[in-house]
Amino acid sequence: MAKLDEADFYKIQVQKQPAVGTSSRKMQDDLTQQSIKSNLGNFILEKFFLICGMLSIFVLLLILYFLLKNSWPALQEVRISEFIFGQRWMPSSPNPGFGALPLILGSIIITVGALLMAVPWSLAAAVYLGEAAPRLIREILKPVIEVLEIFPSVVLGFIALVVVGPFIARVFNLSSGLIGLTGAIVLAIMALPTIISISEDALNSVPKDYKEAAIALGATNWETARYVSIPAASSGIVAAVMLGFGRVVGETMAVLMAAGNALDMPLKEILNIPVPTLMQSMRTLTATIAIEASDVPWGSTHYHALFVIGVVLFVITFLVNLVSDIMLSRFQEVNRND
Amino acid sequence: MSDNGVIFSTEALNLWYGKNQALKNINVNIKMQKVTAIIGPSGCGKSTFLKVLNRMVDLVPNVKYTGSVNLQGHNIFDENINLVNLRTRVGMVFQKPNPFPKSIFENVAFGPRIHGKHKKSELNELVEKSLRQAALWDEVKDRLNEPGLSLSGGQQQRLCIARTLANEPEVILMDEPTSALDPAATSRIEDLVRSLRKHYNIIIVTHNMQQAGRVSDETFFFLNGELIETDRTEVIFTNPKDNRTEEYITGRFG
Ligand SMILES: Nc1ncnc2c1ncn2[C@@H]1O[C@H](COP(=O)(O)OP(=O)(O)OP(=O)(O)O)[C@@H](O)[C@H]1O
Ligand SMILES: [Mg+2]
């Protein structure tokens, strides 16, 4: 009896049934048998997914704990307001400054600049690919774009250094083209494939029924995209933009090579009002960690300050995620999908 | 030959999907102010014929057609035909109810909006009028801002009809509009079709002989891409000339 396969198992069950059982009785038993079996499968799968989900949350919390624990010593020596609003980042000088504002602004300005370029551009491309492009063109372009997605960022950084930088310098007549704009351009290019391919997928998964209905009402391709496909795909498009944002704000190597790494405030006075600018050399939060982590004395305030930068990055991404979630649920409230 | 009671007339209409010919030399007049039913076995080209009339068939890759289809004197195959205007004048209701994932109001206002009507009062009026014509107003007048998809299947189909009516079309094409609905919802749509026939030219594809008998004035019988017989509906059903028609309506094939 060691090897009892399924068929035998059922046979035995059926044979054990008292003869009074009509065929419908038998069927009922078979039904309950099966449901116990599939219930068990369901139960195990459900728990498995639950455990995987919990595990990933746990790992995330662990990282957060590690970040906070390691930034704590620095926060005891330097006030948090000094970190966020201080304008002098000189962590290894004899008279150290831990003002991360230039870095925070650098990250924000470059990210916003990159997204301002990448989002409209990639949405236009996604709408073209998803709604208007002939099949052949789409089938060629999509894989090409997806390959761009896995292009090593250090290579793009290098191209920025030797091609984009000098080009920008010539166009704007600067001594060095390694400025925020160059970094933003490179990051925009890096974010394009992600945003294009994910929002194109979202547009593509809008039921064909909707598009046909719109076209049969006399809508043009553009109107169909604008009033039907894009709203119906909005959650996917927001997710695509969020992924693009994540890529841009977290990118290190390329922006380190392209943006020039100056520690000045990336602001320009226009009519006595300081205005954020992309036209200066600047440094991002990520680049700061990458540049300084390798030779910082272990356990020093500077060391712990780099963890504070990590926390700041975490908070920025968290806030952006939160805001986009709220925006999305508002949007869906108005434009409910089902 | 353009007017005199004819809304569409086709001449030598042939259509191919790739190499597969789906319509073969169709020459027919569709009369004005009538409900025309199109019947025939599955795959005989009913939907294809319907989709030619508003050129929705253009969306199929590799489609090719020859001949001409005249809508009140204009050949809709002409190169300079404006498809937006054509599809506004020739509305379409699909087999499966397909309201947009928008509110009831926005569904009906969609057509007028994209055709440039933006005044709120004008839209309100048009939406109410269309919903009334589609016999849906009383059921939805208090919930115009709820999603169209929250309605029942039959209500969704009437919403789709209202959406088409809001464009104030001359012709309404309906491709098996009740095949996804239960008998009660079906009979409401049939009543609706009958009430609309005074103001619109309706062409309806149906698999249901009784339905064709109940709602239509004229019936076209298609078989394998050919138009076998056209006549007044009662003649087709009581005294068809072609015995293939007779075989089909008496249920001996198809
Ligand atoms: N999009 C398409 N691409 C290729 N061939 C098609 C397409 N649509 C229809 N056909 C073919 O054209 C012929 C006619 O199809 P059509 O859909 O017009 O039939 P129908 O009479 O509406 O059938 P049914 O009653 O099943 O809806 C069929 O042979 C079908 O396979
Ligand atoms: Mg059909």
Side-chain angles (χ1 to χ4, degrees):
Chain A
M1 282 301 274
K3 260 182 77 190
L4 184 71
D5 73 16
E6 232 171 62
D8 290 334
F9 185 69
Y10 283 117
K11 256 180 247 155
I12 293 164
Q13 290 291 314
V14 173
Q15 279 159 7
K16 273 188 184 162
Q17 284 301 319
V20 282
T22 59
S23 66
S24 86
R25 173 73 200 272
K26 211 164 76 189
M27 220 160 78
Q28 213 174 31
D29 275 341
D30 278 359
L31 283 177
T32 33
Q33 290 289 332
Q34 280 229 318
S35 71
I36 288 172
K37 224 179 83 191
S38 65
N39 272 350
L40 186 68
N42 266 346
F43 179 80
I44 293 175
L45 270 183
E46 210 180 292
K47 291 297 172 239
F48 175 73
F49 288 129
L50 182 71
I51 290 170
C52 288
M54 298 301 274
L55 205 64
S56 52
I57 293 174
F58 178 72
V59 170
L60 270 179
L61 286 178
L62 212 62
I63 293 173
L64 186 60
Y65 169 75
F66 182 76
L67 270 179
L68 288 175
K69 180 171 169 266
N70 274 293
S71 48
W72 190 245
L75 288 173
Q76 283 187 316
E77 272 175 53
V78 186
R79 264 179 314 165
I80 194 148
S81 56
E82 166 67 17
F83 261 115
I84 297 177
F85 298 110
Q87 303 191 359
R88 189 168 151 268
W89 181 259
M90 283 277 176
S92 50
S93 101
N95 169 26
F98 290 98
L101 189 59
L103 313 172
I104 295 174
L105 285 180
S107 272
I108 292 175
I109 290 172
I110 289 183
T111 302
V112 169
L115 288 179
L116 281 182
M117 290 182 249
V119 170
W121 181 356
S122 38
L123 288 189
V127 169
Y128 171 73
L129 281 181
E131 306 286 309
R135 259 236 297 270
L136 184 71
I137 291 192
R138 175 151 123 229
E139 267 155 31
I140 295 171
L141 276 184
K142 243 211 132 182
V144 171
I145 288 170
E146 273 158 11
V147 165
L148 278 179
E149 208 169 336
I150 52 172
F151 213 70
S153 70
V154 68
V155 178
L156 279 175
F158 188 62
I159 293 175
L161 201 65
V162 299
V163 181
V164 185
F167 175 76
I168 294 282
R170 204 159 348 115
V171 170
F172 293 99
N173 202 12
L174 303 168
S175 56
S176 159
L178 300 183
I179 57 175
L181 181 64
T182 312
I185 289 174
V186 176
L187 291 187
I189 291 169
M190 291 178 68
L192 276 179
T194 310
I195 307 181
I196 293 177
S197 73
I198 293 179
S199 36
E200 203 267 335
D201 285 343
L203 286 171
N204 230 338
S205 62
V206 171
K208 238 175 73 191
D209 294 2
Y210 297 163
K211 297 179 196 171
E212 278 186 354
I215 289 171
L217 287 167
T220 59
N221 273 347
W222 158 245
E223 287 163 338
T224 306
R226 163 85 177 74
Y227 297 110
V228 178
S229 306
I230 293 175
S234 59
S235 51
I237 291 174
V238 171
V241 172
M242 285 311 303
L243 277 174
F245 166 80
R247 177 105 210 240
V248 168
V249 81
E251 174 50 40
T252 308
M253 227 37 223
V255 73
L256 189 157
M257 295 165 87
N261 295 317
L263 285 167
D264 306 328
M265 289 285 282
L267 300 175
K268 188 178 181 179
E269 300 251 325
I270 297 177
L271 304 170
N272 287 331
I273 306 164
V275 180
T277 176
L278 275 170
M279 301 308 292
Q280 290 176 17
S281 166
M282 60 188 78
R283 201 205 254 190
T284 62
L285 292 163
T286 50
T288 306
I289 299 180
I291 293 168
E292 297 175 10
S294 55
D295 46 28
V296 65
W298 190 271
S300 64
T301 308
H302 183 188
Y303 169 89
H304 293 296
L306 292 183
F307 281 95
V308 177
I309 289 186
V311 173
V312 172
L313 262 173
F314 179 86
V315 169
I316 291 177
T317 41
F318 180 79
L319 285 181
V320 171
N321 252 308
L322 195 71
V323 169
S324 63
D325 267 1
I326 293 170
M327 262 168 42
L328 199 60
S329 61
R330 282 267 175 80
F331 182 81
Q332 278 165 344
E333 201 96 317
V334 195
N335 224 312
R336 231 178 323 168
N337 269 326
D338 40 17
Chain B
M1 62 145 280
S2 64
D3 255 283
N4 55 24
V6 172
I7 181 82
F8 270 116
S9 75
T10 75
E11 274 164 42
L13 169 62
N14 286 286
L15 182 143
W16 293 262
Y17 292 118
K19 292 203 171 62
N20 172 20
Q21 185 165 11
L23 292 178
K24 296 170 189 158
N25 192 29
I26 312 284
N27 294 285
V28 72
N29 288 339
I30 301 179
K31 296 202 179 100
M32 260 181 191
Q33 317 267 274
K34 293 273 173 3
V35 176
T36 303
I38 297 179
I39 61 170
S42 190
C44 67
K46 304 182 294 296
S47 300
T48 302
F49 180 70
L50 211 59
K51 286 192 291 183
V52 167
L53 300 179
N54 64 349
R55 299 258 315 255
M56 281 297 280
V57 78
D58 290 18
L59 301 190
V60 179
N62 296 324
V63 72
K64 201 179 87 206
Y65 41 74
T66 60
S68 71
V69 174
N70 288 291
L71 170 60
Q72 300 200 297
H74 294 284
N75 182 1
I76 65 168
F77 292 169
D78 264 0
E79 245 165 57
N80 56 7
I81 203 87
N82 179 333
L83 287 179
V84 167
N85 289 347
L86 173 66
R87 288 169 186 158
T88 312
R89 287 174 61 181
V90 184
M92 184 167 219
V93 176
F94 295 80
Q95 182 167 0
K96 207 172 121 239
N98 58 354
F100 298 123
K102 299 176 185 291
S103 71
I104 294 170
F105 184 93
E106 287 304 322
N107 262 283
V108 183
F110 184 89
R113 264 199 219 285
I114 60 170
H115 296 117
K117 290 208 176 79
H118 293 293
K119 273 225 312 264
K120 191 74 189 160
S121 57
E122 205 179 353
L123 284 177
N124 282 342
E125 220 169 90
L126 202 48
V127 166
E128 176 172 347
K129 181 175 148 222
S130 308
L131 284 168
R132 276 190 196 281
Q133 280 189 318
L136 189 60
W137 175 251
D138 290 331
E139 288 154 73
V140 302
K141 62 170 185 273
D142 300 320
R143 43 190 290 208
L144 292 176
N145 291 319
E146 283 178 35
L149 289 163
S150 69
L151 298 172
S152 74
Q155 289 173 323
Q156 288 188 17
Q157 194 62 301
R158 277 179 282 146
L159 178 63
C160 293
I161 293 174
R163 182 175 69 183
T164 304
L165 293 176
N167 264 345
E168 306 185 310
E170 293 155 51
V171 184
I172 304 174
L173 311 173
M174 298 183 166
D175 192 352
E176 302 187 43
T178 62
S179 65
L181 305 180
D182 68 31
T186 297
S187 104
R188 297 209 60 166
I189 302 271
E190 288 179 4
D191 291 345
L192 179 55
V193 170
R194 270 196 296 257
S195 77
L196 292 175
R197 68 127 85 58
K198 291 185 211 89
H199 306 286
Y200 302 91
N201 305 289
I202 297 177
I203 304 166
I204 180 169
V205 171
T206 177
H207 263 293
N208 179 327
M209 296 304 123
Q210 285 85 0
Q211 181 166 74
R214 282 190 299 263
V215 303
S216 72
D217 307 299
E218 300 279 320
T219 296
F220 293 0
F221 173 60
F222 278 78
L223 186 63
N224 293 329
E226 287 178 70
L227 182 55
I228 303 296
E229 189 166 352
T230 73
D231 215 323
R232 296 210 320 281
T233 298
E234 66 257 32
V235 177
I236 289 273
F237 279 92
T238 54
N239 194 11
K241 290 182 199 68
D242 196 298
N243 58 353
R244 289 169 293 183
T245 314
E246 184 170 358
E247 280 173 16
Y248 181 70
I249 57 176
T250 53
R252 256 175 280 163
F253 75 89

